[in-house]
Amino acid sequence: MSLSAIILVVVVLGVIGWFVGVSRSKSLVAGNVSQLHSRPTYYGSYIFVWAVLPAIFVAAIWSIVSPIYVDNQVRGHLPAEVLSQEQAQQNLSMNIVQSIARGLNTLSSENRPADDVTIEDLKPILAEQGVAIAGSGETYMITSARQMNSMTRSSETMRAVVVIALSLIGFVLAYMQITAKLRARNKVEGVVTGALIVASSIAILTTVGIVFSMLSETTRFFSSVPMTDFFFGVVWDPRFANASDPNAAGQFGLIPLLAGTLYIAFVAMLVAVPVGLFSAIYMAEYAGPKLRSVAKPLLEVLAGIPTIVYGFFALVTVGPFLRDLSAQISGIVSDGGSSFIQAQSVLTAGFVMGIMLIPFVSSLSDDIITQVPGSMRDGSLGLGATRSETVRKVILPAALPGVVGALLLTASRAIGETMIVVLAAGVAARLTINPFEPMTTVTVKIVSQLTGDLEFNSPQTLVAFALGLTLFFITLALNVYALYIVRKYREQYE
Amino acid sequence: MNDESKTPKVKMAGKGVEVFYGAKQAINGIDLEVYERQVTALIGPSGCGKSTYLRCLNRMNDTIDICKVKGLLTLDGEDIYDPNIDVVELRARVGMVFQKPNPFPKSIYENITYGPRIHGLAKSKADLDVIVEKSLRGAGLWEEVKDRLLEPGTGLSGGQQQRLCIARAIAVQPEVILMDEPCSALDPIATAIVEELIGELREQYTIVIVTHSMQQAARVSQRTAMFHLGDLVEVDDTETIFTNPSEKRTQDYITGRFG
Ligand SMILES: Nc1ncnc2c1ncn2[C@@H]1O[C@H](COP(=O)(O)OP(=O)(O)OP(=O)(O)O)[C@@H](O)[C@H]1O
Ligand SMILES: [Mg+2]
């Protein structure tokens, strides 16, 4: 029985339980509902919860554990010479076993191959079903695949029996507990709380999971490249092993990438903060309701544009424009001047990224500025202050912590941005302080290290995880700091 | 009132004042005079337009987009809705204290110096210190806060905050002070302190106060104006209003029969 069928059965049982619970509670008090501790629907929900939740929980655990268990068992029965192989080689063999097992399952019973079929005979049959078996397939794998299939089948049968039985047991136990005094309402409330806790833990656990998955790859990277070389290296040159010199180690210096990241983000903030902040002030304090209702959504459209589109904009418009402009400027100084701004440069990327960030700054700050109580405004205006005095001396100081928090959140976006940088600042990892030259960022290098057909075992690819983790901690620190500031600000008007 | 010689000078006057919120009319043509160095109380049931009228007097209604004011309003005979008038200067002359204490999230000292600073009333730090002490003394708050002037104004109690707001208003040396239910967020003791303060302020300032408390109107004001549904029902000496009103609606309201 498939998992979805089991869940369906369990849920149907639960729904039946709900109706049973409702009518049971009513009949207990002969229809005089006010004598019940809780309203009848709560008794229904009580049975539903007991019939469904434990069963689904066990079904989920079973479905996760069972394949791992089967895999281990099948692995244990592999021929001795396979077992003596390296772990990676073994994994490869197991992958083939798995695809054979999947292929066998797709065959209908009449064209199931004989027990002593060889891999050479089986391959074309499976290929017909659209299942390709790798060249290194061997006959012993068919046995393993059969073993795997039969174990999986019996596991699934047992799962169906156990889960449905559990559901029934829950149903009956809950039913027997129903009395007029049962505090079904409070118990259901407890379940609701539990469900909410589970939902939020999933979000948190995912984050933790992401960190740990990166952490393990990162430690593998650091086992081949020393940490100091990574964190303090000033040269980024991760030669791939298959390049002309296979022994070239490559240099993995973080500094040029980090510098590029921070530099471009800095330029971006230089553009986004004043423009975004001023437009937020205008929207919140000056614009009439009509203008606001039109202009604010328009501004926020900017936030909806995919960053790759900004990348185009940088590549075909801003970059060439700045280059030609600089050529003209230097032409004024000395004739036949060359353009000192390159088409791909920190300036271009930062400028376009800044435009992308304007709506973030403005809409976050706008929210914060409008949150400053109107009584502050009235107080200031009532003392004869002008609007701009009120903004400068009362509104902004009151909103400042929140605005700073918003800016930090925006900065962490700038640091994580990739597409604009690829197109506008290039992919050359260089260390320079000239904003008119290309530079590149951490995210861009993560992408370029991971594109192509790769195995995750060379430092060239593993470095991506180290980069990712570094970036993660930088943005995490920024976000935590931002949240800290925003929270502090919230307390002010309580 | 009929005795001309006893009538004090008119400080602010409204003639045929009408106020609209969008299409809705909140004040239907009111004539009301406010005399110099007197406390004028505005009373009436909720929603009758007391706050609206009060906010016309220093043009705080300008901050509400949909609000339109018609008719003539004068300060010392000058039309305050004249396009040539400087609203900022008007508000410096006609200060306001709000229903809820609204000190800025700054220190007590900066709360007081805010107004004088933006109007350039002080030339030096010493001037500011003098203004701070004078205003706080004027608001009866000096003794309580003189050792903690640099602490945030939001850290004071509700009653102290309201007196801080009054001090902030008188630091600008206004001629008129408008108060919209200044005691509604205060306990009886704080209320008594503020009422006593209003009595003292009357010697220097013209005061217009909105209140829901009949006793308060009777205690602090010399003249009382009764509003109802956007109309001015009657205005007279407070004593007359409370002992011998000419309108039945006033009688009913102050004896608690409606509103
Ligand atoms: N900002 C506004 N927008 C629209 N209508 C308003 C606004 N402010 C007040 N009004 C309306 O104008 C009328 C008078 O309101 P106002 O606040 O002046 O009453 P009030 O006498 O001060 O009442 P209260 O004693 O409850 O404070 C009310 O009908 C109210 O609904
Ligand atoms: Mg009011």
Side-chain angles (χ1 to χ4, degrees):
Chain A
M1 214 175 188
S2 74
L3 187 61
S4 46
I6 295 177
I7 290 178
L8 185 70
V9 170
V10 168
V11 169
V12 167
L13 270 174
V15 172
I16 296 173
W18 190 86
F19 285 106
V20 171
V22 171
S23 67
R24 166 73 180 164
S25 61
K26 280 184 189 159
S27 70
L28 269 179
V29 291
N32 193 350
V33 176
S34 60
Q35 286 179 8
L36 289 170
H37 171 272
S38 314
R39 274 176 295 138
T41 49
Y42 279 110
Y43 294 93
S45 308
Y46 185 67
I47 296 192
F48 178 88
V49 163
W50 272 105
V52 172
L53 285 192
I56 299 266
F57 180 71
V58 169
I61 298 284
W62 194 298
S63 310
I64 293 168
V65 172
S66 158
I68 299 173
Y69 174 78
V70 170
D71 192 81
N72 270 333
Q73 289 295 311
V74 172
R75 215 175 263 243
H77 288 92
L78 290 176
E81 70 267 21
V82 180
L83 284 179
S84 62
Q85 282 169 349
E86 243 179 71
Q87 189 67 30
Q89 196 59 42
Q90 248 187 55
N91 285 347
L92 224 57
S93 307
M94 276 310 288
N95 281 345
I96 302 175
V97 170
Q98 271 163 11
S99 42
I100 296 177
R102 228 177 303 129
L104 286 176
N105 272 342
T106 60
L107 298 176
S108 57
S109 53
E110 58 259 29
N111 51 19
R112 207 141 283 154
D115 284 350
D116 54 355
V117 70
T118 62
I119 190 79
E120 282 73 27
D121 294 336
L122 187 61
K123 264 188 194 171
I125 304 178
L126 292 187
E128 250 171 60
Q129 301 293 320
V131 180
I133 304 299
S136 54
E138 292 188 44
T139 306
Y140 76 87
M141 290 174 181
I142 302 176
T143 328
S144 293
R146 288 216 164 96
Q147 189 197 0
M148 184 177 261
N149 275 343
S150 83
M151 284 184 74
T152 309
R153 262 195 301 280
S154 47
S155 161
E156 280 180 1
T157 319
M158 268 164 70
R159 180 178 68 183
V161 171
V162 168
V163 169
I164 293 176
L166 203 60
S167 174
L168 284 170
I169 292 172
F171 189 126
V172 173
L173 282 183
Y175 179 83
M176 293 195 316
Q177 281 182 13
I178 291 186
T179 59
K181 292 231 159 57
L182 176 72
R183 299 181 178 176
R185 190 179 177 192
N186 310 31
K187 306 226 155 143
V188 170
E189 189 64 30
V191 172
V192 170
T193 315
L196 297 179
I197 292 174
V198 167
S200 31
S201 343
I202 287 176
I204 295 169
L205 288 180
T206 318
T207 317
V208 175
I210 291 173
V211 172
F212 273 96
S213 72
M214 288 206 296
L215 206 56
S216 69
E217 306 294 328
T218 305
T219 41
R220 276 173 68 196
F221 170 72
F222 282 130
S223 67
S224 52
V225 175
M227 263 199 203
T228 45
D229 286 7
F230 176 69
F231 283 114
F232 302 112
V234 291
V235 177
W236 175 265
D237 184 17
R239 267 162 266 170
F240 277 96
N242 57 4
S244 53
D245 178 8
N247 295 325
Q251 283 174 285
F252 301 96
L254 173 68
I255 300 287
L257 304 186
L258 200 58
T261 304
L262 297 180
Y263 201 172
I264 292 176
F266 173 75
V267 174
M269 295 300 278
L270 226 49
V271 174
V273 171
V275 178
L277 209 52
F278 285 166
S279 77
I281 291 173
Y282 178 73
M283 289 291 165
E285 297 293 324
Y286 289 85
K290 257 198 207 135
L291 181 67
R292 190 179 155 90
S293 69
V294 176
K296 209 170 177 257
L298 271 184
L299 196 66
E300 275 157 16
V301 164
L302 273 181
I305 299 176
T307 56
I308 186 79
V309 175
Y310 284 103
F312 291 153
F313 177 56
L315 190 67
V316 302
T317 313
V318 179
F321 171 75
L322 289 177
R323 185 197 53 211
D324 298 346
L325 186 73
S326 71
Q328 286 186 359
I329 292 174
S330 63
I332 296 168
V333 180
S334 65
D335 43 29
S338 60
S339 60
F340 54 87
I341 302 181
Q342 303 186 22
Q344 287 193 320
S345 70
V346 170
L347 187 66
T348 313
F351 178 74
V352 175
M353 199 192 282
I355 293 176
M356 178 198 86
L357 294 176
I358 289 172
F360 291 94
V361 176
S362 78
S363 103
L364 283 172
S365 319
D366 184 355
D367 291 346
I368 290 158
I369 291 172
T370 32
Q371 261 177 35
V372 174
S375 60
M376 295 294 125
R377 260 168 223 110
D378 286 351
S380 171
L381 294 174
L383 285 170
T386 63
R387 261 195 182 160
S388 79
E389 282 166 349
T390 303
V391 169
R392 256 186 303 127
K393 300 212 168 140
V394 175
I395 309 283
L396 279 189
L400 193 65
V403 170
V404 170
L407 295 188
L408 290 176
L409 287 178
T410 312
S412 74
R413 257 200 81 96
I415 288 173
E417 175 50 39
T418 313
M419 282 338 246
I420 294 177
V421 181
V422 177
L423 294 179
V427 292
R430 310 167 63 241
L431 203 50
T432 170
I433 54 161
N434 184 352
F436 306 140
E437 287 180 12
M439 246 177 143
T440 201
T441 63
V442 175
T443 48
V444 170
K445 280 303 164 195
I446 293 179
V447 174
S448 64
Q449 292 309 103
L450 291 183
T451 33
D453 211 5
L454 302 160
E455 283 179 38
F456 293 137
N457 48 20
S458 66
Q460 276 78 8
T461 47
L462 289 175
V463 69
F465 295 95
L467 290 173
L469 203 62
T470 312
L471 207 57
F472 175 83
F473 276 112
I474 293 175
T475 47
L476 182 74
L478 272 179
N479 283 352
V480 168
Y481 187 56
L483 284 180
Y484 163 77
I485 287 183
V486 170
R487 190 158 308 156
K488 222 170 122 188
Y489 152 77
R490 282 230 180 90
E491 289 165 359
Q492 270 196 2
Y493 299 111
E494 294 311 309
Chain B
M1 277 262 299
N2 299 335
D3 189 348
E4 287 292 325
S5 64
K6 276 172 76 183
T7 308
K9 184 172 162 248
V10 172
K11 186 72 186 171
M12 297 194 79
K15 260 204 169 57
V17 176
E18 289 179 277
V19 183
F20 300 84
Y21 289 110
K24 185 173 169 291
Q25 185 158 10
I27 304 249
N28 324 315
I30 280 183
D31 297 345
L32 179 61
E33 292 177 337
V34 171
Y35 295 125
E36 188 160 45
R37 300 198 181 180
Q38 275 199 357
V39 179
T40 305
L42 309 186
I43 62 169
S46 190
C48 64
K50 306 180 294 293
S51 302
T52 302
Y53 187 79
L54 195 71
R55 292 165 63 90
C56 290
L57 297 178
N58 68 344
R59 294 185 56 175
M60 278 303 279
N61 279 337
D62 292 11
T63 61
I64 302 170
D65 292 302
I66 56 169
C67 186
K68 293 277 165 300
V69 179
K70 284 187 190 158
L72 181 69
L73 279 145
T74 59
L75 171 65
D76 288 336
E78 239 182 303
D79 180 4
I80 59 172
Y81 278 83
D82 186 328
N84 294 324
I85 205 113
D86 181 2
V87 186
V88 169
E89 195 211 342
L90 169 71
R91 290 190 190 139
R93 289 174 67 192
V94 184
M96 189 156 201
V97 175
F98 297 84
Q99 179 169 359
K100 254 181 74 187
N102 59 347
F104 303 129
K106 302 171 183 283
S107 70
I108 294 172
Y109 187 89
E110 283 176 274
N111 261 284
I112 306 285
T113 55
Y114 182 82
R117 275 203 179 123
I118 55 178
H119 294 298
L121 296 183
K123 289 189 186 59
S124 62
K125 170 96 170 63
D127 284 357
L128 284 176
D129 289 346
V130 170
I131 291 177
V132 168
E133 179 169 350
K134 213 174 114 205
S135 312
L136 284 172
R137 276 193 197 284
L141 194 60
W142 175 251
E143 292 302 325
E144 287 157 75
V145 300
K146 65 178 179 206
D147 300 323
R148 44 195 281 211
L149 290 176
L150 298 181
E151 286 174 30
T154 40
L156 297 173
S157 77
Q160 289 173 327
Q161 286 188 14
Q162 194 62 302
R163 278 181 285 149
L164 178 62
C165 292
I166 294 175
R168 188 174 73 180
I170 59 185
V172 191
Q173 298 165 14
E175 297 157 33
V176 182
I177 302 177
L178 310 175
M179 299 184 173
D180 193 350
E181 301 180 43
C183 300
S184 65
L186 306 185
D187 75 353
I189 295 172
T191 302
I193 297 174
V194 172
E195 282 180 8
E196 195 183 326
L197 175 61
I198 292 171
E200 289 165 17
L201 291 176
R202 178 167 74 88
E203 289 162 19
Q204 288 186 53
Y205 306 97
T206 306
I207 294 174
V208 185
I209 179 172
V210 171
T211 177
H212 275 151
S213 155
M214 295 308 111
Q215 292 88 338
Q216 185 169 69
R219 278 195 299 264
V220 303
S221 73
Q222 285 72 54
R223 267 163 59 87
T224 297
M226 164 74 195
F227 282 61
H228 185 223
L229 295 177
D231 292 316
L232 179 65
V233 177
E234 65 173 304
V235 53
D236 214 328
D237 289 346
T238 299
E239 217 181 304
T240 319
I241 290 276
F242 280 92
T243 52
N244 185 22
S246 46
E247 289 276 336
K248 179 154 186 328
R249 275 186 289 175
T250 314
Q251 171 91 44
D252 288 349
Y253 181 67
I254 58 181
T255 51
R257 246 169 282 166
F258 86 96

